[in-house]
Every structure is written in C-alpha cells, then in structure tokens.
Amino acid sequence: STGEAPAAGNAPAAVTPPAEGTVQVSGAPEAYADFTMPEGFTFADADKEAFVTFAKENNLTQEQAQKLLDRDVGFAETQNKAIEAQVEKWKHEVAADPELGNAENMGVAKEGLERFATAELRQMLSETNLGNHPLVLKHFHALGKLAAQDKFVNAQAPARAPKTLAERLYGSTN
C-alpha cells in the first residue's frame, strides 16, 4: 500500500445499512419452505432432498433457491419438448419408409424385437424412446426376417418323358 487514496473509479462501494425495523435475510434458512412447482411437474422426495442439500451447501436464500429451481424446470421442459419432437420425426420417417411403412413389416420388426431383445433392452428402448428410431426398427426387422419360420418347399422330381412299353417290361438298358 502506498498510502495514496484510491482513484475515483476504484473506490469501494458504500454499504447502506438496512432501514430500522427491517430484517436483513442472507444465506440459507434453517429450513426451506415448500418450493413452487409448475403445473404438471412433481418434485420426488429424493430429488427435493438433493436440491435442498445443494441449496444449503451454497448458502442460497429461499428466493435464490426458487429461482434456480425455476430455471432448472424450464430447462427440463425445453429438453422434454425437444425429445418429443425428435420421436415424432422418427415416427414420420418410419411411416414414410418403403420397407417399414406398413403394418406387416412392422410386425416382422416386432417379432425380431421380441425374439432377440432381452427384457432389459426392451425396457431401455421403451424408456429412452430409442425403440422408435428408424435404424433400430430396421435392425429388428432384419432379425425378424432371419428368424421367420422356414417355409416348406416340396421337392418334386423333375418331369420325365413317359416310359415306353419295352422300358416298362425290361427296364432301362443304360
């Protein structure tokens, strides 16, 4: 320190004391009040507990915690809408696909899925909506075609000229 006064632009900001009779709140409260969630959203107990722990660790006031939660919920809504749009796009692609766009071939794909996918894989494809992806459906369609029951082919002898009377009486002389 040189003992000089700070330059005019670098002076520390003056702190204004709170007005008399007001309570200044800073930092995390002892316990957070219930948070406001948008309609259609629920706050699972485990998620709420994790959020409250995070808010307390970061010394967030009730208002700051609510703002953070509102931002996170908005982000989740945006992500959900993007996922729904992508799934709809995949469904339209499948409907327009010349190979998969009919019920019979979708049945073949379903058969391939049921025969070759484990319960865990089927659950994952359902939960993530990846089961609607055109490449996944094409893969299981190919498996379904490979696994289709073999068709019986009747092996008939080739047509021959009728035997002459001599061949019938004496057999063939070859």
Side-chain angles (χ1 to χ4, degrees), residues 3 6 14 16 21 23 28 36 51 61 68-69 71 79 81 83 86 92 113-114 118 123 129 133 140 154 168 172:
T16 308
V23 177
T36 304
F51 182 76
T61 64
L68 179 61
L69 184 61
R71 186 205 62 157
Q79 292 293 22
K81 287 178 183 175
I83 291 169
Q86 183 62 59
H92 290 294
L113 175 72
E114 289 174 357
T118 63
Q123 180 179 355
N129 284 313
H133 194 287
F140 283 109
N154 188 4
R168 285 185 288 185
S172 126

Side-chain angles (χ1 to χ4, degrees), residues 46-119:
D47 294 335
K48 183 177 182 179
E49 189 176 313
F51 182 76
V52 167
T53 300
F54 175 83
K56 281 188 180 264
E57 287 173 353
N58 289 282
N59 205 29
L60 299 180
T61 64
Q62 179 77 35
E63 182 179 299
Q64 291 169 328
Q66 183 65 54
K67 282 183 180 180
L68 179 61
L69 184 61
D70 292 344
R71 186 205 62 157
D72 288 351
V73 167
F75 178 73
E77 283 180 314
T78 301
Q79 292 293 22
N80 286 340
K81 287 178 183 175
I83 291 169
E84 289 171 7
Q86 183 62 59
V87 170
E88 284 303 311
K89 181 182 173 200
W90 289 339
K91 287 179 180 180
H92 290 294
E93 288 176 19
V94 168
D97 187 279
E99 187 177 16
L100 295 175
N102 65 57
E104 181 181 340
N105 285 340
M106 285 302 291
V108 172
K110 183 178 178 188
E111 177 65 29
L113 175 72
E114 289 174 357
R115 245 178 118 178
F116 293 103
T118 63

Side-chain angles (χ1 to χ4, degrees), residues 124-144:
M124 186 275 302
L125 290 173
S126 175
E127 289 173 356
T128 62
N129 284 313
L130 288 173
N132 294 306
H133 194 287
L135 293 177
V136 172
L137 291 170
K138 284 181 180 185
H139 175 75
F140 283 109
H141 177 258
L143 288 174

